[in-house]
């Protein structure tokens, strides 16, 4: 089987998606693109980021990025790039555009840029994204906007990724796998 170069790892909160994605980072060096913005006024969020940083191998390169995520993915890298996660990236982009009360699709250009960067990425890439569409319809407009925009982003990325996994209760389920090379008496099919 061909080794996938672009993998999308989906899952709910605390499902194990980040840990599973990190376990896929086997081609060194590893570049970790962290999309959660630091907020000095939110101590819980700061501790959460610090725990994530402490849990990663010290030799990995960490880049904290939101607005330039597509550009960083597009940069050549002779190893694995892990992006964790696209839900916090989407939140940052909606914040930057003050788009929480604007029509759906307001940040479509940024989403388009990300999908193109992923589609054209030739190094090993592992993307982590929450799957939020399996629950009740959110009560607030902003909650529905986030769910809808993230669902569309995940769908588009699944279309350009070689492999798509869904992590549930710590177990990775394969949703999409690259075609296998089958060898028969007539040769490779």
């Amino acid at each position: 089987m061909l080794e996938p170069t672009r993998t999308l790892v989906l899952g709910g909160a605390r499902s194990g998606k980040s840990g599973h994605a990190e376990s896929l980072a086997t081609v060194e060096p590893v570049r970790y693109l962290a999309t959660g913005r630091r907020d000095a006024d939110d101590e819980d969020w700061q501790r959460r980021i610090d725990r994530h940083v402490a849990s990663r191998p010290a030799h990995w390169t960490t880049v904290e990025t939101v607005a330039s995520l597509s550009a960083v993915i597009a940069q050549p890298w002779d190893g694995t790039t892990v992006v964790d996660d696209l839900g916090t990236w989407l939140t940052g982009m909606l914040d930057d555009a003050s788009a929480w009360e604007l029509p759906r699709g307001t940040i479509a250009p940024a989403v388009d840029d990300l999908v193109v960067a992923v589609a054209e990425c030739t190094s090993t890439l592992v993307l982590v994204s929450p799957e939020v569409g399996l629950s009740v319809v959110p009560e607030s407009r902003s909650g529905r906007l986030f769910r809808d925009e993230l669902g569309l982003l995940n769908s588009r990325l699944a279309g350009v990724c070689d492999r798509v996994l869904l992590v549930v209760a710590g177990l990775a389920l394969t949703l999409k796998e690259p075609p296998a090379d089958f060898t028969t008496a007539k040769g490779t099919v």
Side-chain angles (χ1 to χ4, degrees):
M1 177 178 3
L2 299 172
E3 191 63 33
T5 56
R6 294 175 304 266
T7 301
L8 175 61
V9 180
L10 303 166
R14 296 289 178 245
S15 63
K17 64 187 177 294
S18 293
H20 188 77
E22 290 174 11
S23 76
L24 300 175
T26 58
V27 178
E28 296 279 345
V30 176
R31 175 176 64 173
Y32 188 96
L33 306 184
T35 63
R37 284 195 174 126
R38 294 180 179 273
D39 180 355
D41 295 330
D42 188 339
E43 291 179 26
D44 179 62
W45 184 247
Q46 289 296 107
R47 283 192 301 274
R48 183 179 211 140
I49 289 174
D50 291 342
R51 280 192 305 272
H52 267 272
V53 170
S55 72
R56 293 192 293 271
H59 66 280
W60 286 11
T61 300
T62 298
V63 178
E64 294 183 3
T65 183
V66 176
S68 61
L69 180 61
S70 299
V72 177
I73 289 172
Q75 294 170 355
W77 185 258
D78 292 328
T80 303
T81 298
V82 177
V83 178
D84 195 2
D85 87 8
L86 295 173
T88 53
W89 173 79
L90 182 70
T91 298
M93 297 308 292
L94 289 165
D95 286 347
D96 290 353
S98 299
W100 290 103
E101 298 302 322
L102 297 177
R104 283 164 176 72
T106 299
I107 62 164
V111 169
D112 292 344
D113 289 346
L114 179 61
V115 172
V116 168
V118 169
E120 294 178 353
C121 183
T122 57
S123 62
T124 302
L125 177 64
V126 181
L127 305 162
V128 179
S129 189
E131 178 52 67
V132 296
L134 301 174
S135 185
V136 297
V137 175
E139 184 177 322
S140 69
R141 183 193 189 288
S142 59
R144 291 186 299 274
L145 172 74
F146 178 79
R147 182 205 55 188
D148 293 351
E149 294 286 353
L150 186 61
L152 290 171
L153 174 63
N154 287 344
S155 293
R156 290 189 62 198
L157 289 172
V160 299
C161 284
D162 304 303
R163 176 193 288 163
V164 180
L165 305 172
L166 174 65
V167 179
V168 179
L171 302 173
L173 307 169
T174 302
L175 303 179
K176 178 182 178 183
E177 192 71 46
D181 287 337
F182 292 105
T183 303
T184 68
K186 293 182 179 181
T188 301
V189 177

